[in-house]
Amino acid sequence: MKIAVVGAGVVGITTAYELTLDGHEVTVFDRRHTAAEEASFANGSVITPGWSTARIGAERAWRTLFGGPGSALQLDRLPRGAQWRWLWQWHQCGRPGARAGLQRQMLGLMAYSQERQGDLGATLNLDHDRCQGLLLLWRTAQDLERAQPTMDLMREMGLTARTLSGDDARQLEPALQGGTPLHSATELEGESAANCREFALLLRGEAQRLGCHFMFGSTVERMTPVDGPGRAVTVHHRQADAATASTFDAVAICAGMASVGLLRPLGLRLPLQAVYGHSISAPVREPVDAPVAAVVDTRHHVSIVRLGQRVRVAGGARLDGPGAGRSPEALKQLYRVLADWYPGAAQLGGRHGQVQEWHGVQASLPDGPPLIGASRVPGIWLNLGHGAHGWSMACGSARALADGMAGRAPEVDLAGCAPGRFGL
């Protein structure tokens, strides 16, 4: 088939690669001038099926939204308009009855995606910064006690979680600041971290070698289903001042929040909200003072990751509208957490441009699982709404979508990812 992919973040690139690998003629459209320039640019890098899955529901309490303990999502102001409905659905999906099904769905997709990512990295020899293992840091006994239901659930799901004393944790991470209280830590096997953008750029090169065509600086303005037999769709796009229309057998939408405006004229109303994540990245100052791998400050939901010769600190998710600016308070918290645990790890001063401060929008659905599969509009397929877990799910989502478009049953259960659950 002749297929268009809209969006060249990590989800769009993995989708384009898998479709090209299957022998389709694939064209990727993206409004930016290179790949992975938005949500995939400087995300937290962690790939944590167990921890991310077990956290679903535990963080969905009203009391946590304005700075209370336990939530990875924060509000700086009262919600507006449709955000109230989204938050109500988000809260309802954290109830015990709904939580178990969501957790099974997310764990299955993340584990499948992690396996597919590993296969691609090994088969294609993708040399990108990555590390294995994850250490959860508990500042106090109370922090660990509050998380006990989450830890119990991880063990029930068959995940390996080893509890360490503070001293034992410092044996694994010798650079952890001795002056910061550390009650204990949990070592998670199977979790990892990797440079999302590096991986995306390398995989783009592999897709191009297979014959995939990328059209950067090209904005898709609208799509028009073609009447008659088949499922053809005309894509109207603009590059510089030139407007062009191209017809495809199918279109895969992987454009995050931009998908909302693109699909609304087709009668597809996506229940997406913009959640802004933040990160800081800086060169390693002294390797002996930097993390060995990846750690998470569980109280503040901030990850600190060693990616080659750089340290990345990420967290500070805020619910806001599209186009919102970075949050000074969220960035300050990242600096504070870095200073608490690894005060000598990164070069934070000196030459201009050493520290990269970033914020990016995560297109988030209220229940958690993304939308993967055919929409009710002929020829329009969806692979979007991964929220904060796009990097953890990208490779598996792409392979599953490609299988679906080829008429094959995906190797992972996608029942909870069906667009039909939102009438799409």
Side-chain angles (χ1 to χ4, degrees):
M1 289 194 296
K2 184 179 179 183
I3 300 175
V5 174
V6 183
V10 68
V11 173
I13 287 173
T14 52
T15 298
Y17 174 81
E18 298 289 3
L19 290 170
T20 307
L21 185 66
D22 282 358
H24 300 294
E25 181 184 343
V26 180
T27 301
V28 181
F29 297 93
D30 195 276
R31 60 188 179 184
R32 300 288 186 172
H33 291 281
T34 189
E37 281 283 279
E38 298 189 29
S40 304
F41 184 78
N43 57 32
S45 303
V46 292
I47 303 168
T48 54
W51 175 242
S52 297
T53 301
R55 285 296 303 163
I56 295 173
E59 63 186 31
R60 296 181 180 222
W62 295 114
R63 61 180 172 78
T64 68
L65 289 173
F66 289 95
S71 181
L73 175 64
Q74 298 289 310
L75 297 179
D76 292 329
R77 55 166 176 75
L78 286 174
R80 300 171 185 169
Q83 289 180 340
W84 281 113
R85 181 180 180 184
W86 187 92
L87 280 170
W88 175 250
Q89 292 176 310
W90 172 86
H91 173 69
Q92 292 294 100
C93 290
R95 296 164 67 92
R99 190 188 310 169
L102 294 174
Q103 287 165 331
R104 285 193 298 270
Q105 184 71 75
M106 299 280 277
L107 178 62
L109 181 54
M110 287 189 192
Y112 176 66
S113 186
Q114 190 177 40
E115 180 181 353
R116 181 59 180 160
Q117 182 189 331
D119 289 344
L120 290 174
T123 303
L124 301 175
N125 194 28
L126 304 180
D127 186 15
H128 59 293
D129 292 333
R130 57 194 184 276
C131 59
Q132 287 295 125
L134 182 72
L135 204 60
L136 307 176
L137 305 179
W138 310 102
R139 291 178 181 250
T140 66
Q142 290 74 21
D143 289 344
L144 180 57
E145 184 179 353
R146 277 194 296 267
Q148 200 55 52
T150 302
M151 305 307 295
D152 291 342
L153 176 62
M154 291 177 65
R155 293 185 176 92
E156 288 174 17
M157 292 189 298
L159 302 170
T160 302
R162 185 165 66 106
T163 301
L164 307 172
S165 68
D167 289 340
D168 288 341
R170 288 189 167 94
Q171 291 293 317
L172 291 179
E173 283 286 342
L176 282 172
Q177 166 74 320
T180 300
L182 177 58
H183 170 266
S184 58
T186 301
E187 182 184 18
L188 301 181
E189 295 182 8
E191 315 287 86
S192 61
N195 191 314
C196 175
R197 186 165 192 260
E198 255 191 342
F199 181 91
L201 292 174
L202 290 169
L203 195 63
R204 180 197 70 181
E206 295 297 327
Q208 287 175 316
R209 275 188 277 279
L210 291 175
C212 182
H213 180 50
F214 285 81
M215 294 191 64
F216 292 111
S218 184
T219 301
V220 174
E221 297 182 325
R222 69 186 190 279
M223 298 175 298
T224 308
V226 178
D227 293 333
R231 296 192 169 191
V233 179
T234 298
V235 175
H236 303 266
H237 52 98
R238 180 176 296 275
Q239 192 162 25
D241 293 328
T244 308
S246 307
T247 299
F248 297 88
D249 297 310
V251 180
I253 307 298
C254 311
M257 286 303 299
S259 307
V260 175
L262 194 57
L263 293 174
R264 188 182 295 117
L266 299 177
L268 301 176
R269 296 187 174 275
L270 299 177
L272 292 175
Q273 282 293 327
V275 175
Y276 283 84
H278 295 72
S279 73
I280 56 175
S281 303
V284 171
R285 186 170 71 179
E286 290 292 344
V288 72
D289 294 326
V292 173
V295 303
V296 171
D297 182 312
T298 57
R299 176 180 293 181
H300 299 293
H301 302 284
V302 171
S303 61
I304 306 173
V305 179
R306 171 78 177 270
L307 293 173
Q309 296 306 307
R310 294 182 72 80
V311 175
R312 178 166 298 164
V313 189
R318 297 290 194 274
L319 181 67
D320 214 326
R326 65 184 65 175
S327 165
E329 182 52 41
L331 291 171
K332 286 178 185 177
Q333 184 183 68
L334 300 184
Y335 283 108
R336 285 194 297 265
V337 172
L338 177 61
D340 281 350
W341 297 115
Y342 296 98
Q347 298 179 32
L348 300 179
R351 184 165 54 87
H352 176 70
Q354 288 281 75
V355 180
Q356 177 192 76
E357 295 182 346
W358 175 87
H359 79 296
V361 65
Q362 303 160 352
S364 302
L365 291 159
D367 57 351
L371 298 169
I372 305 174
S375 76
R376 57 183 173 80
V377 177
I380 302 295
W381 294 72
L382 308 181
N383 189 6
L384 51 87
H386 299 76
H389 308 300
W391 180 211
S392 295
M393 296 182 179
C395 295
S397 299
R399 185 62 257 165
L401 185 78
D403 286 339
M405 294 181 77
R408 297 187 296 265
E411 296 178 7
V412 62
D413 177 21
L414 292 180
C417 300
R421 74 186 194 271
F422 292 113
L424 302 171

